[in-house]
Amino acid sequence: MSIKIIGYETHDVRFPTSLSGDGTDAMNTDCDYSSAYVTLRTSSDLVGHGMTFTIGRGNDIVCAAIKEVANRLVGKDVEELFANMGKTWDYLCADPQLRWIGPEKGVIHIALGAVNNALWDMYARSRKKPLWKLVVDMTPEELVNSAAFRYISDAITKEEALVMLKAKESTKAEREAKVREVGYPAYVTSAGWLGYSDEKIARLTKEAIQAGFNHFKMKVGADLDNDLRRGKIIRSIIDDPQYLPAGHKPRDPNGPDLVGKNAGPTGSVLMIDANQVWDVPQAIEFVKGLEEIKPWFIEEPTAPDDILGHAAIRRALKPYGIGVATGEHAHNRIVFKQLLQAEAIDVCQIDSCRLAGVSEVLSVLLMAAKFGITVCPHAGGVGLCEYVIHLSLIDYIAVSGSMERNVLEFVDHLHEHFIHPCSINKNGRYNVPNHPDEGYSIEMHRSSIEQYEWPHGTYWVNEHPRLKAQAQVQSH
């Protein structure tokens, strides 16, 4: 008997991270990490969970768009959808009236990301595999048929992708065994938020070193002198061998994993992130002013869809040994295609739900591999770390075949709200998700939804200090 999708539910879940300064940067100064969350229901007990990430206000608008996209799946046979996930992705994009309010960008596109991710979660659950394992076990033909190829054939064809995947196929098991043993390399952003005091930055940096990390990122862009001071604090700690964990020796700054990253004497790497705050000339001059702290790259130096602007910044900073990274807010695979074609980036930062789900991510992974650009996904927020470890595993095992120079962002916020939270080993690397029922690892605890759903969750009604104070005033 066939299983069909019979309905869906959405939840506007918001966490009060603005109270602690978590997530603050030069552009985004007031962040309540939020999940526009969807569950797809079927005629059996099979379900699929997905979400996209926002930072508060507007999350309800995304939930409304998710309902419109998810409604296109009602009545569909799940095995017919799973049989060709690229074709299914095209179908989800194809409502002409919904497409008009994109197309393939903005609210409708991130809503599609939530729905497509939920469908992939359901697919993995149906096969009793974590999402990454479902994909890496596919044949090259199945994987290519799962990706979104429209508008990118001038950068990579399906035939080229097949050749690339087949070249890596015989060694997939070897790479899978290796990453299960050692974990996937990670970097930490938790110490570098713009709203943190110098003392908190120093403490969190030392804690990150003790946790095994050797790649660190800080937010910049509000004030050059302030950024230089904060960068020097981080550099003074990560470059000092006295802070290394007991028994750990400094890494070789000129080793194959670190060469070209401006690593310091302990083999530690610093990256900086401006979150789109500058015009192009301003970005170039500001980053030159931070040359002293030796960053590997500047992330999001200008508007995320300014392809030529990124290329100009990259050319200008190359003599200073500073690279350019972007992708967190790249609307779709076409923006990535152009960034790669224009030689505008050194590092490709896919986002698991700014792109419209796994199918579109696969197309960007394939393009990045063809162009030889390292993929270091954006994470953090709520749920993004849970998502992206799957994507980096797919990239390493099945697509690029390398994790030597890759690092995956880790931010230690809000993982406790997920049934299968991501985790980090003692060497600062992501552990490999391994539970047969976790799918895409994004299922949230029902209690967390009930507590933080906006505006009627128990936290927002009874516990948030500002709202609580307002209620007390009104009661008098």
Side-chain angles (χ1 to χ4, degrees):
M1 183 178 176
S2 68
I3 298 172
K4 294 188 176 183
I5 293 175
I6 60 170
Y8 50 86
E9 61 184 65
T10 64
H11 298 280
D12 177 354
V13 185
R14 307 188 192 185
F15 298 94
T17 48
S18 59
L19 297 178
S20 58
D22 298 341
T24 50
D25 57 58
M27 181 66 76
N28 307 295
T29 57
D30 181 28
C31 307
D32 284 329
Y33 281 175
S34 302
S35 167
Y37 188 84
V38 62
T39 298
L40 300 175
R41 304 286 181 190
T42 71
S43 53
S44 72
D45 58 359
L46 181 64
V47 298
H49 303 283
M51 58 152 277
T52 196
F53 170 67
T54 79
I55 59 170
R57 287 183 294 278
N59 204 50
D60 51 334
I61 300 172
V62 182
C63 286
I66 286 172
K67 292 176 183 177
E68 294 295 331
V69 177
N71 195 55
R72 289 180 63 75
L73 293 175
V74 174
K76 299 295 183 183
D77 182 288
V78 299
E79 290 300 330
E80 291 179 8
L81 295 171
F82 298 159
N84 189 320
M85 287 292 278
K87 183 178 178 182
T88 296
W89 191 89
D90 289 340
Y91 167 76
L92 285 170
C93 280
D95 182 292
Q97 296 183 11
L98 294 178
R99 190 180 187 278
W100 185 262
I101 59 173
E104 296 189 33
K105 62 178 70 68
V107 168
I108 199 66
H109 205 57
I110 63 176
L112 170 57
V115 176
N116 184 250
N117 285 340
L119 194 60
W120 275 100
D121 178 73
M122 180 186 290
Y123 187 5
R125 287 167 181 267
S126 75
R127 303 304 192 259
K128 296 293 183 182
K129 295 179 179 181
L131 183 279
W132 69 266
K133 181 63 171 165
L134 171 76
V135 177
V136 303
D137 284 351
M138 288 179 169
T139 65
E141 291 79 7
E142 289 171 332
L143 197 154
V144 166
N145 283 337
S146 296
F149 268 90
R150 191 178 190 183
Y151 302 137
I152 64 170
S153 61
D154 54 327
I156 187 171
T157 64
K158 290 185 177 182
E159 292 73 22
E160 288 176 308
L162 276 173
V163 170
M164 289 166 46
L165 293 171
K166 287 179 178 178
K168 297 287 190 294
E169 190 174 20
S170 65
T171 50
K172 285 195 298 187
E174 177 184 320
R175 287 190 294 278
E176 180 178 331
K178 181 178 179 180
V179 73
R180 284 183 183 275
E181 178 187 354
V182 303
Y184 193 91
Y187 74 86
V188 65
T189 304
S190 304
W193 298 120
L194 209 57
Y196 286 177
S197 67
D198 290 357
E199 292 75 21
K200 187 171 184 179
I201 289 169
R203 175 176 58 81
L204 292 175
T205 301
K206 291 173 185 176
E207 290 176 1
I209 293 171
Q210 287 299 310
F213 293 98
N214 78 315
H215 285 65
F216 308 83
K217 191 170 79 179
M218 62 174 269
K219 301 292 185 174
V220 299
D223 179 85
L224 180 59
D225 291 338
N226 181 55
D227 291 342
L228 200 55
R229 187 193 73 254
R230 291 164 55 245
K232 287 179 178 179
I233 291 170
I234 295 174
R235 264 294 176 200
S236 70
I237 296 169
I238 67 177
D239 286 351
D240 191 334
Q242 72 167 310
Y243 296 113
L244 292 174
H248 282 235
K249 294 180 179 180
R251 294 174 167 92
D252 178 7
N254 296 309
D257 57 332
L258 295 175
V259 67
K261 290 186 176 182
N262 290 327
T266 64
S268 290
V269 177
L270 179 63
M271 302 95 85
I272 55 176
D273 182 1
N275 292 91
Q276 317 159 34
V277 77
W278 299 314
D279 279 9
V280 172
Q282 185 185 13
I284 293 167
E285 292 308 309
F286 201 110
V287 177
K288 286 180 183 178
L290 295 173
E291 182 187 9
E292 185 180 349
I293 60 173
K294 298 181 295 183
W296 170 24
F297 61 65
I298 172 64
E299 177 179 338
E300 284 201 309
T302 193
D305 47 358
D306 186 354
I307 312 300
L308 299 181
H310 279 86
I313 293 167
R314 182 174 183 247
R315 285 194 302 271
L317 294 179
K318 200 161 191 175
Y320 297 84
I322 300 170
V324 170
T326 202
E328 171 184 346
H329 281 82
H331 299 310
N332 51 41
R333 67 208 175 281
I334 299 101
V335 174
F336 279 106
K337 177 188 75 171
Q338 294 180 348
L339 287 165
L340 294 166
Q341 289 172 326
E343 299 182 352
I345 53 174
D346 298 276
V347 174
C348 172
Q349 296 178 304
I350 56 170
D351 183 277
S352 53
C353 45
R354 173 73 57 180
L355 291 172
V358 175
S359 292
E360 190 170 33
V361 167
L362 291 175
S363 68
V364 178
L365 294 180
L366 289 163
M367 286 191 290
K370 179 185 172 180
F371 281 81
I373 296 296
T374 300
V375 175
C376 297
H378 167 249
V382 55
L384 302 187
C385 295
E386 278 67 31
Y387 265 153
V388 293
I389 178 55
H390 292 266
L391 305 178
S392 285
L393 291 169
I394 293 166
D395 179 55
Y396 169 55
I397 297 169
V399 182
S400 73
S402 175
M403 63 173 177
E404 189 170 51
R405 296 181 60 77
N406 307 64
V407 279
L408 171 54
E409 185 168 20
F410 176 74
V411 180
D412 196 10
H413 301 317
L414 306 174
H415 304 297
E416 67 275 12
H417 298 290
F418 294 90
I419 291 175
H420 298 285
C422 67
S423 63
I424 298 290
N425 67 24
K426 63 182 176 61
N427 294 316
R429 290 170 169 254
Y430 274 84
N431 291 310
V432 173
N434 202 38
H435 196 285
D437 295 322
E438 70 181 283
Y440 205 175
S441 305
I442 208 66
E443 182 178 3
M444 202 176 281
H445 287 290
R446 175 59 58 173
S447 58
S448 294
I449 295 174
E450 292 171 353
Q451 186 174 5
Y452 289 102
E453 187 155 17
W454 174 266
H456 302 301
T458 56
Y459 172 82
W460 295 107
V461 172
N462 301 319
E463 299 175 50
H464 190 277
R466 178 174 53 82
L467 299 178
K468 192 175 180 181
Q470 288 174 356
Q472 289 172 343
V473 169
Q474 291 169 0
S475 68
H476 294 310

